[in-house]
Amino acid sequence: MIQPSRRRFLRLALGGAAGLLAGCDRLAANESFGRMLRRAQYLSRDTQALLTGRNAMAQEFTEDDIADEFRSNGTAMPDSHLYRQLLAGGFRRWQLGVGGLVAAPAEFSLADLHAMPSRTQITRHDCVEGWSVIGKWTGVPLSHVLARVQPLPMARYVVFHCADPMDGSDLQAPGSTYYESIDLTEARHPQTILAYALNDEPLPVKNGAPLRLRVERQLGYKHAKYLMRIELVERLDTIRGGNGGYWEDLGYEWYAGI
């Protein structure tokens, strides 16, 4: 596993170079130059994979390292009529739909997910805003869920559709709900889990109940909360803003490795 200082150096070096280039208004306005900058994030991903290997593990910690409170960021209670109905019923009627480019589309209740093999990991959540917190997560490895639905050969990405509207309520702006995506390599990593528990308790609403993504080798905005549906796709440019995620459509990098 790459050491934190070295990992930080690589990220700062690549990010700093992109920042210097982006500072030039004339170049930034050029579409070809913009495409080059967007491709730079894949250089970061490929460099990290070369140095650490595709299966490198994020650092895990001990029980003594767990924070007293795992802070919430972004949405703490979705402004969603559907979500509040599901919450009022204790999520007994909630189901996770998994479809798209799969041979066996399926829906899974919380009970179904609890019955699957689980993984517990104590990891650090690194927010793009500059803060970090350590928590203990339990959930089902995403690889197990994918094995159940059998991805088709043309599937390349996994898209996570969430309950939290970002531009008003789900009645006012039904197309604004949060979404994220990762590639199949990241999806099958052993530390990529669909978490239903935090610090040995059911996942709190403020942290994404009933189910959230934990993709431990990437920054916090990739860890989608309030999961409702998973879709396997061949390409991302036909979904919403075309950049693979809510924040990515607003200019964030799609690959947010740490």
Side-chain angles (χ1 to χ4, degrees), residues 24-240:
C24 178
D25 290 339
R26 186 158 60 99
L27 284 174
N30 182 280
E31 178 60 27
S32 296
F33 184 73
R35 286 195 298 268
M36 184 187 76
L37 284 181
R38 288 191 290 272
R39 286 196 297 267
Q41 64 183 313
Y42 300 106
L43 173 62
S44 173
R45 178 187 64 178
D46 294 342
T47 299
Q48 184 173 9
L50 179 64
L51 291 173
T52 66
R54 289 289 184 187
N55 295 318
M57 303 286 279
Q59 183 177 4
E60 296 194 18
F61 299 84
T62 70
E63 296 272 352
D64 292 337
D65 297 312
I66 297 172
D68 292 336
E69 180 180 1
F70 198 99
R71 64 180 289 184
S72 174
N73 193 45
T75 302
M77 169 62 79
D79 188 6
S80 164
H81 179 69
L82 173 60
Y83 180 83
R84 290 169 191 260
Q85 284 186 320
L86 293 169
L87 174 61
F91 296 113
R92 285 183 293 273
R93 297 180 61 188
W94 173 92
Q95 288 191 315
L96 178 71
V98 186
L101 296 177
V102 300
E107 291 186 337
F108 302 102
S109 67
L110 270 181
D112 293 332
L113 296 173
H114 278 267
M116 295 180 187
S118 67
R119 176 182 170 87
T120 296
Q121 55 202 31
I122 301 175
T123 53
R124 186 181 63 221
H125 181 96
D126 292 314
C127 181
V128 71
E129 296 174 353
W131 55 268
S132 299
V133 62
I134 293 173
K136 179 180 182 181
W137 303 94
T138 300
V140 55
L142 180 54
S143 60
H144 185 80
V145 174
L146 293 179
R148 293 277 294 268
V149 298
Q150 303 170 41
L152 296 176
M154 66 282 288
R156 296 180 58 204
Y157 302 100
V158 183
V159 182
F160 304 89
H161 299 275
C162 307
D164 47 331
M166 301 299 289
D167 301 315
S169 73
D170 58 351
L171 299 180
Q172 296 170 329
S176 75
T177 51
Y178 198 85
Y179 82 105
E180 256 303 341
S181 64
I182 56 177
D183 63 26
L184 274 174
T185 297
E186 200 75 42
R188 289 173 168 140
H189 188 271
Q191 289 175 311
T192 299
I193 67 173
L194 303 178
Y196 46 69
L198 172 60
N199 297 337
D200 298 320
E201 297 290 341
L203 191 61
V205 169
K206 69 175 185 176
N207 298 118
L211 193 73
R212 72 174 294 166
L213 175 67
R214 294 300 304 175
V215 53
E216 304 296 354
R217 304 192 300 178
Q218 299 202 39
L219 289 171
Y221 65 86
K222 301 294 291 188
H223 301 227
K225 301 192 294 186
Y226 312 114
L227 294 182
M228 298 292 286
R229 181 167 62 92
I230 293 176
E231 178 185 13
L232 275 72
V233 300
E234 183 177 9
R235 52 195 295 175
L236 299 172
D237 58 357
T238 59
I239 300 173
R240 301 276 287 274

